Amino acid sequence: MSSTLTMIVPAGWRRVEAGPNQEASIREAVDAAYRDADRDSSAVAKHWMRERLREALTAPEELDSEVVAVAYPERPAAGMMLPVSATVLRMSLSTNSVDDAMKALARMSAGEPDAHVQQTPVGLVLRSYSVRDVKQAFDVQVDGAPIQESEKLAIAAASEAMPSLRVRYVIPSTSGDSWYAVAFSAMLGSDEPELVGVYLELFDAFVGSLEWRDTP
């Protein structure tokens, strides 16, 4: 018997799973997001969302892992739509004992100065995070979008910087099952430490709901 990692997300979040049915799941997610929008005026936005979801469900080759699912809020919480998302990945790494898992975590943390090990309901996990400006990457996406040139220029000029927080939790297994990673992303209004701290607390709370469940 093997184990699968589960995580509880708040009400109002949508989960889109990778796999053979992902195109249908993507279509359903896009339709839900633009259910009340005009069909013609929302065509570009729907196209963009489909592409972003397909991209999110495909892990870069250098990660040596596969995406299990992505999740994001569909409805506001306390009157605010949080600019965050979560990606669950199944890693190629596996270990058969606590000792082997801790050694692997130690090696991993040595290459990430800001990483630290913290206790969760599923045992020790490795948390690392970084804040970076994604303005250049965003401009590249806008440049390739099927919209008017004037719209591209307006979007590109709307902001000078786009600080983004990325937090990754690596969850080891000690029973020979695959390790998992949960990666959260948040678009920040600024890179002030206080704001970063608020999001870290939020993501720590999500990780606090992790649970290993036996699967046949």
Side-chain angles (χ1 to χ4, degrees):
M1 181 176 292
S2 60
S3 298
T4 300
L5 189 72
T6 64
M7 182 180 71
I8 297 173
V9 295
W13 280 54
R14 176 175 289 270
R15 176 186 172 97
V16 181
E17 296 189 2
N21 298 319
Q22 75 177 42
E23 281 301 313
S25 297
I26 289 173
R27 184 168 56 252
E28 183 179 323
V30 173
D31 289 344
Y34 293 96
R35 181 175 292 116
D36 299 324
D38 177 79
R39 180 175 180 178
D40 293 332
S41 63
S42 65
V44 171
K46 292 170 76 172
H47 168 80
W48 206 338
M49 183 175 178
R50 280 193 296 269
E51 292 305 307
R52 294 296 302 274
L53 283 173
R54 287 172 182 145
E55 179 183 340
L57 289 166
T58 304
E61 291 183 5
E62 63 270 18
L63 290 183
D64 197 19
S65 59
E66 61 177 337
V67 176
V68 175
V70 298
Y72 57 90
E74 283 191 310
R75 300 198 301 268
M80 176 183 177
M81 182 71 81
L82 291 175
V84 301
S85 64
T87 303
V88 181
L89 303 105
R90 184 183 296 109
M91 305 172 66
S92 62
L93 180 63
S94 63
T95 44
N96 294 297
S97 68
V98 173
D99 187 50
D100 287 343
M102 292 305 99
K103 288 178 180 178
L105 275 184
R107 289 193 298 270
M108 196 174 292
S109 63
E112 301 185 51
D114 295 327
H116 78 276
V117 175
Q118 63 186 58
Q119 185 66 44
T120 73
V122 291
L124 296 178
V125 306
L126 183 69
R127 188 189 79 178
S128 59
Y129 72 92
S130 62
V131 177
R132 59 191 181 95
D133 188 352
V134 297
K135 170 67 172 172
Q136 183 176 4
F138 178 75
D139 287 345
V140 170
Q141 289 186 334
V142 171
D143 189 57
I147 57 178
Q148 297 292 330
E149 190 64 30
S150 59
E151 294 178 288
K152 293 179 182 180
L153 293 174
I155 294 173
S159 64
E160 296 182 355
M162 299 179 68
S164 173
L165 170 66
R166 183 171 177 81
V167 188
R168 187 183 71 159
Y169 299 82
V170 176
I171 303 103
S173 168
T174 59
S175 60
D177 292 315
S178 297
W179 287 31
Y180 282 82
V182 181
F184 294 94
S185 295
M187 294 303 300
L188 306 174
S190 74
D191 57 1
E192 296 179 1
E194 292 79 7
L195 180 59
V196 172
V198 169
Y199 278 107
L200 288 176
E201 290 181 5
L202 173 65
F203 298 150
D204 282 350
F206 285 173
V207 172
S209 71
L210 289 171
E211 181 182 2
W212 285 109
R213 292 184 179 178
D214 292 335
T215 53

